[in-house]
Amino acid sequence: MSTANLSANWQSSKALLSLAIISSLTAGCGMSLNEAQIAKLSAISAGGNNLRVTQTMQLKTEAPVTWSVNGIPGGNSDIGTVSSTGVYTAPAIVPLPNNQVTIESSSEIYPSKGSYNVSVLNPIPIVTTITPGSFSEGVAQVVVNGSAFVYGAQILWNGVPVPTTYLSGTQLVAMVTEYTPGTYPVTVVNPNPGSASSQKVNALVQPGQVLIQLQPSETSVRVNNSINIVPTVTGSQDTALTWTVNGVAGGNTQIGTITPQGVYTAPAVVPTPNNLVVVQATSVDNPNSTMIVNVQVLNPVPTLLSATPTSLNIGSSTVVLSGANFINGATALANGAPIPTQFNSSGQLTATVDPTVAGPFDLQVLNPNPGGAVSADVIEQVAGTPPTPLVDPADASRFLMQATFGGSEADINHLSTIGYNAWFTEQFAIPNTLHEPYAEREIILNNNPPCAATDTTCNQTLFLGTFGDQYFEQPFWATALTGKDELRKRVQFALSELFVISSQDAVVGQMPRGVANYYDMLGNDAFGNFRQLLNDVTLSPMMGIYLSTLANDKGTATVDPDENYAREVMQLFTIGLWQLNPNGTQQLDGSGNPIPTYSNNDVMGIAKVFTGFSWNMNGNTSDQAWSGYGAVYVGTGFGQDLLPMAAYPNHHSTDEKDFIGTTIPAGSSDPNADLKIALDALFNHPNLPPFVSKQLIQRLVTSNPSPAYVQRVAAVFQDDGQGVRGDMQAVITAILMDEEARNLASNNGPNYGRVQEPMLRFTHMARAFTAESLSGAFDIGSTEDPAYGLGEMASRSPTVFNWFAPGFVPSGTTIAAAGLTAPEMEITDVTTVIGYLNSMQAAISSGYGNNNDLYMTLTTETALANNPDALLDRVNLLLLGGQMSSTLRSQIEGAVNAIAIPTGGDQTAINSALLTRAQTAIFLTVASPEYTAQH
């Protein structure tokens, strides 16, 4: 027995001995104890019946006793504790549901007990500071810091309660409205039981601060152009503002000027060394109130009008390019490739050309960054007999309709000259043009003032809580309409319609940088292997949010893991609903019914695999990181919205996982290892090659590919000839170079082709005629409005099934009667047709997008408009791949000839009529069914 135990036993024995002696003495003297006297020995006395949390109270009895609280010897942390010497310590929180506790004492010799009731009260709050300690009159968020705050505590502003949010025992928040300057007392009152008020701390309300908002909050403008910055002033009846550019009142000719009304006019030359200028508005009433707009000044769009001489010979020679808006550093392009160029003036360049073959020779001018832009083309003729092109120009045009967002004449000539194989080699080698860096830069520029690198809260709001589809839309349109990685961009868009996420989701919509990063991932993987693509899609935090794999927990005895992604990854992304033959047709059972690919048990089994993945916080796998609340990893150039999801083993299901013929035994706790098994099973499933191949064929070539076409592509998907499964370059090449894709003569029947979705019709036209951005930002915006736009927009679909389903059949049509599908017809109705026609007409004539940002000069087409046949030859080649019917050509030619060319020497009127002819020919072509249906 230890010394401590001996001591304790001796003390106890001594107490019992004392009681025994007292008892015997009193008995011997005729002084026996009655019940009242015995009870008095255990009776408890103290200094009061109220005690605030964590405070102590000394309890006393006349005889040694043992103590309990609410019947629990010594009490506990919920109801308070009592020591062997009778010191009661109240709990940290008022007990529930009753704040009153009963402390009892009992003697080991006499059968008596004492009890004492104590009411535990809330603490007295202590206020130390208020943040901010002062603010301008109006509405402000006030944070009260201190201690001993409890849930339900109330902030009193000048003695009046205000709506209060409890954050913690040391912090409360309230929105305070005060329009009268002065000093105001702030106190905190804790609720009953024991309601008590803190000492006051004063807050200072200063005279009202004028608030200025400017729209747009950041923008770009080309040299010599103007933009209107619209101010909104609140907090003062005096709304007058003064304006500066880079701190210069009113600006100047080097950095641009601004009027008192907020109209900024860019300088004639991009400012150096920085093309970003800061326009600031300052309140006249309160000069401390300012707001800025970051404006990027961009180089102009060059206009190429003519080249001299108008015809060339094979070999090296010099041409003089005439036009407008050329800048020092401009480069001439011959068939899309840069050639040696000398800058003479803003209206003239000299270039060295070296044509090697006779025939058409395409010339353009490229102005450099910032805001690099290409002119429309001028077509020269190289004397001699043109060689037979490797690809017929009409076939090249049709190919580019399938393989890209559309081709210009330079693109057509280039493909015709080098051939398909060289073109594929070029395209596969061009790096992915990224969207995320642009989105991040614009988000940062749009935030005034910018976040400090160490300000986690600011960066979290900036990158994880900023709505703004324009941050993705602008780089999307820029790359779709001007990107050199034309094949990658088209495949990337097709993949985005297969592996769908959408910013219409409320959480995804707050992360435009993450949306842009997801789209970039599709582009990075477009020429890689499908297995890597499937892995990257699965671990994307944007997909994790959209289809519920992010923070998908392992489940409990009563709650199963979320099955959303488990269903869609099989149904939409990999193997489909029905077992397929190698040619994509459905396998049938003995009764002629299609055979399901998977069951609900398979869904439940594979859903367990997709547990235990959440935010990648750079190694932080705490519960806060798992939930995303209380932890964050985000900033400029990095963040949880960009990184693939991380594994959290504690949240991963260890149940047995059975799915599509694969079993992962119970006890497996490695999320990444289980994921690899599951994705490998999907990747190696026999359905995958025909299922994915058919959908990509539908997106690029034809809605109803023959089974033989599907089987040929699926065979390449299964084995690229080098023993590799899922080689995307091989699959893309097989789709676009298949006999059914290239041989129009043998595949021009009623079942062949597809309805071009409206966005592709738009981009095809815009690229064909070298559309450019007035602001340089390609500020077209979302085109999803069916009445005023195109009825769809990238990364904005209403469901995971995209804007249209691959198996859609328009009921009551000859398409349905023929047993065919027409996916794009799902977004085709009277409203969307009108919206499409209005959009195309605007783009051709006045411009399209925000502030008519996208425009086409149609210089070459206007020059041909005196010769309607030549004009229609060009339009036919660029928009219809040379397939315009004689009926349509006759109708358009009649409409063009009906536009008279004025006589009398008014060149302005003549130019206007010629332009109208060109615009009419283009609009009637893009409005025709022949353009809508791609063959």
Side-chain angles (χ1 to χ4, degrees):
M1 182 177 292
S2 69
T3 304
N5 287 336
L6 287 171
S7 176
N9 288 337
W10 163 245
Q11 295 292 336
S12 176
S13 299
K14 185 171 70 172
L16 292 173
L17 179 61
S18 299
L19 284 172
I21 293 171
I22 292 171
S23 179
S24 63
L25 289 174
T26 55
C29 297
M31 299 172 59
S32 61
L33 297 175
N34 56 32
E35 290 185 9
Q37 291 172 320
I38 292 172
K40 186 178 179 183
L41 292 174
S42 300
I44 303 172
S45 63
N49 293 93
N50 296 321
L51 193 64
R52 296 194 182 275
V53 293
T54 72
Q55 291 183 340
T56 61
M57 173 185 289
Q58 178 65 59
L59 305 169
K60 297 179 180 180
T61 60
E62 292 187 5
V65 294
T66 58
W67 301 92
S68 64
V69 183
N70 285 359
I72 299 174
N76 60 32
S77 60
D78 295 326
I79 55 178
T81 60
V82 61
S83 71
S84 61
T85 60
V87 176
Y88 172 71
T89 302
I93 301 174
V94 172
L96 295 175
N98 190 345
N99 73 304
Q100 189 175 81
V101 300
T102 300
I103 302 171
E104 293 182 320
S105 64
S106 62
S107 169
E108 295 186 14
I109 294 181
Y110 292 103
S112 64
K113 291 185 177 181
S115 67
Y116 194 84
N117 293 327
V118 176
S119 294
V120 180
L121 309 179
N122 280 321
I124 299 173
I126 299 172
V127 176
T128 55
T129 61
I130 301 171
T131 305
S134 65
F135 59 89
S136 298
E137 61 184 274
V139 180
Q141 177 177 279
V142 172
V143 179
V144 177
N145 304 295
S147 60
F149 303 155
V150 300
Y151 187 80
Q154 183 77 55
I155 296 174
L156 273 61
W157 176 265
N158 199 28
V160 178
V162 292
T164 302
T165 299
Y166 174 83
L167 296 182
S168 69
T170 61
Q171 201 168 69
L172 304 174
V173 175
M175 297 301 295
V176 173
T177 302
E178 185 57 67
Y179 289 103
T180 303
T183 300
Y184 292 87
V186 177
T187 56
V188 171
V189 176
N190 274 344
N192 280 319
S195 175
S197 177
S198 70
Q199 294 292 321
K200 71 176 182 179
V201 174
N202 289 328
L204 177 64
V205 178
Q206 298 175 328
Q209 181 174 351
V210 181
L211 297 179
I212 305 171
Q213 290 183 313
L214 301 177
Q215 288 295 328
S217 52
E218 65 85 23
T219 188
S220 59
V221 62
R222 295 195 184 275
V223 293
N224 289 320
N225 287 332
S226 299
I227 54 170
N228 191 24
I229 300 174
V230 180
T232 301
V233 180
T234 57
S236 173
Q237 293 183 343
D238 184 357
T239 60
L241 300 170
T242 59
W243 297 85
T244 63
V245 181
N246 286 357
V248 178
N252 58 36
T253 56
Q254 284 75 44
I255 54 178
T257 59
I258 191 158
T259 69
Q261 293 74 37
V263 178
Y264 172 77
T265 300
V269 178
V270 172
T272 56
N274 190 349
N275 73 306
L276 184 71
V277 300
V278 178
V279 175
Q280 178 172 297
T282 301
S283 168
V284 172
D285 182 47
N286 184 353
N288 291 322
S289 180
T290 63
M291 183 55 66
I292 67 169
V293 173
N294 292 305
V295 180
Q296 297 182 74
V297 180
L298 307 179
N299 282 320
V301 177
T303 300
L304 177 60
L305 297 175
S306 64
T308 305
T310 57
S311 61
L312 303 170
N313 295 313
I314 292 175
S316 180
S317 62
T318 299
V319 295
V320 176
L321 306 177
S322 300
N325 299 325
F326 304 155
I327 66 167
N328 197 356
T331 304
L333 306 177
N335 289 334
I339 56 177
T341 306
Q342 175 183 312
F343 176 80
N344 300 328
S345 69
S346 62
Q348 189 182 84
L349 303 175
T350 300
T352 301
V353 297
D354 191 13
T356 58
V357 296
F361 193 73
D362 188 279
L363 292 172
Q364 294 171 288
V365 173
L366 169 66
N367 273 347
N369 284 319
V374 179
S375 72
D377 50 4
V378 166
I379 308 300
E380 297 276 270
Q381 290 296 322
V382 180
T385 302
T388 302
L390 294 177
V391 179
D392 181 80
D395 291 338
S397 175
R398 180 171 165 271
F399 173 86
L400 292 171
M401 294 177 199
Q402 299 169 342
T404 74
F405 276 116
S408 66
E409 184 159 2
D411 296 325
I412 294 169
N413 290 340
H414 181 62
L415 174 58
S416 297
T417 301
I418 68 171
Y420 290 123
N421 290 339
W423 187 87
F424 275 113
T425 299
E426 280 185 352
Q427 287 295 310
F428 286 143
I430 299 175
N432 185 21
T433 306
L434 300 178
H435 300 69
E436 183 269 321
Y438 179 97
E440 178 176 281
R441 184 188 75 226
E442 295 302 301
I443 291 170
I444 293 171
L445 288 175
N446 201 20
N447 187 57
N448 294 314
C451 296
T454 56
D455 190 340
T456 302
T457 301
C458 180
N459 281 288
Q460 181 177 12
T461 301
L462 191 65
F463 295 118
L464 305 182
T466 295
F467 286 100
D469 286 316
Q470 73 273 15
Y471 298 122
F472 169 72
E473 290 163 355
Q474 289 177 0
F476 169 80
W477 287 117
T479 59
L481 300 183
T482 67
K484 295 300 182 183
D485 50 338
E486 303 167 71
L487 176 61
R488 188 189 297 270
K489 285 289 157 276
R490 182 65 186 86
V491 175
Q492 182 179 25
F493 181 67
L495 292 174
S496 76
E497 296 183 309
L498 175 62
F499 299 100
V500 173
I501 66 165
S502 175
S503 62
Q504 289 202 32
D505 178 274
V507 180
V508 173
Q510 296 181 68
M511 303 180 192
R513 183 177 74 159
V515 172
N517 179 260
Y518 178 85
Y519 197 76
D520 287 343
M521 176 269 293
L522 296 179
N524 290 336
D525 290 348
F527 295 163
N529 191 283
F530 188 87
R531 176 61 178 80
Q532 185 64 49
L533 172 63
L534 181 60
N535 186 83
D536 291 345
V537 166
T538 301
L539 291 179
S540 163
M542 297 300 103
M543 181 60 77
I545 295 169
Y546 191 62
L547 290 183
S548 315
T549 51
L550 189 141
N552 182 22
D553 219 334
K554 57 188 174 184
T556 65
T558 57
V559 179
D560 292 328
D562 190 282
E563 298 175 357
N564 200 3
Y565 187 74
R567 292 182 185 279
E568 309 309 353
V569 73
M570 292 192 289
Q571 177 183 345
L572 301 179
F573 300 170
T574 56
I575 60 178
L577 292 172
W578 310 106
Q579 292 186 28
L580 302 176
N581 294 306
N583 63 7
T585 58
Q586 293 178 0
Q587 295 184 18
L588 305 177
D589 61 18
S591 301
N593 298 314
I595 305 170
T597 309
Y598 56 88
S599 68
N600 193 57
N601 288 335
D602 293 311
V603 174
M604 295 175 66
I606 202 169
K608 296 174 184 177
V609 172
F610 302 122
T611 59
F613 294 95
S614 192
W615 295 113
N616 190 330
M617 299 267 188
N618 195 32
N620 180 0
T621 56
S622 65
D623 286 343
Q624 291 80 10
W626 163 262
S627 66
Y629 295 100
V632 66
Y633 179 70
V634 68
T636 301
F638 69 94
Q640 63 204 64
D641 56 326
L642 308 179
L643 294 171
M645 291 188 293
Y648 290 72
N650 290 339
H651 294 273
H652 182 62
S653 173
T654 57
D655 292 349
E656 181 175 285
K657 307 170 183 73
D658 297 301
F659 50 91
I660 56 172
T662 300
T663 297
I664 300 176
S668 178
S669 60
D670 185 343
N672 287 319
D674 287 0
L675 180 66
K676 181 180 185 304
I677 293 171
L679 297 187
D680 282 346
L682 292 172
F683 179 65
N684 291 301
H685 194 283
N687 259 32
L688 182 74
F691 181 80
V692 174
S693 296
K694 182 175 180 179
Q695 291 211 57
L696 290 176
I697 293 170
Q698 285 184 305
R699 298 279 59 78
L700 299 175
V701 179
T702 179
S703 295
N704 297 277
S706 70
Y709 186 5
V710 174
Q711 185 162 2
R712 288 191 294 269
V713 175
V716 174
F717 192 109
Q718 188 169 347
D719 185 340
D720 66 353
Q722 304 296 321
V724 177
R725 183 183 181 93
D727 179 351
M728 291 294 289
Q729 290 190 19
V731 171
I732 293 162
T733 304
I735 290 171
L736 294 171
M737 294 306 297
D738 189 85
E739 174 72 10
E740 198 163 320
R742 298 275 56 81
N743 192 340
L744 181 61
S746 61
N747 295 294
N748 204 18
N751 296 351
Y752 185 76
R754 68 190 188 96
V755 174
Q756 285 197 93
E757 57 190 284
M759 281 184 62
L760 294 183
R761 283 177 256 160
F762 180 83
T763 61
H764 181 187
M765 179 192 71
R767 287 188 70 104
F769 300 108
T770 319
E772 270 297 344
S773 167
L774 187 64
S775 68
F778 286 86
D779 192 16
I780 298 172
S782 177
T783 55
E784 66 195 82
D785 190 299
Y788 299 97
L790 302 174
E792 61 170 339
M793 179 61 203
S795 298
R796 286 282 299 163
S797 67
T799 73
V800 71
F801 296 95
N802 190 31
W803 291 96
F804 43 82
F808 178 76
V809 178
S811 60
T813 63
T814 55
I815 295 172
L820 303 175
T821 62
E824 295 81 2
M825 290 293 288
E826 191 168 1
I827 57 170
T828 303
D829 56 30
V830 172
T831 301
T832 58
V833 168
I834 292 173
Y836 162 73
L837 292 175
N838 287 337
S839 297
M840 298 299 267
Q841 185 178 43
I844 294 166
S845 55
S846 59
Y848 186 69
N850 298 323
N851 300 312
N852 298 326
D853 191 64
L854 193 78
Y855 70 99
M856 300 182 295
T857 58
L858 303 178
T859 305
T860 301
E861 292 69 36
T862 301
L864 294 172
N866 252 329
N867 183 346
D869 279 334
L871 173 62
L872 288 179
D873 283 345
R874 178 172 172 81
V875 171
N876 183 19
L877 175 67
L878 295 179
L879 296 181
L880 294 176
Q883 300 174 68
M884 184 182 289
S885 68
S886 58
T887 299
L888 178 61
R889 185 178 182 110
S890 177
Q891 291 170 337
I892 297 176
E893 191 166 0
V896 169
N897 281 321
I899 301 170
I901 306 301
T903 58
D906 186 345
Q907 194 59 48
T908 300
I910 292 171
N911 291 341
S912 177
L914 292 172
L915 177 60
T916 303
R917 279 188 166 192
Q919 292 170 338
T920 299
I922 295 169
F923 176 71
L924 292 178
T925 301
V926 299
S928 70
E930 294 181 24
Y931 181 71
T932 301
Q934 174 183 298
H935 291 283

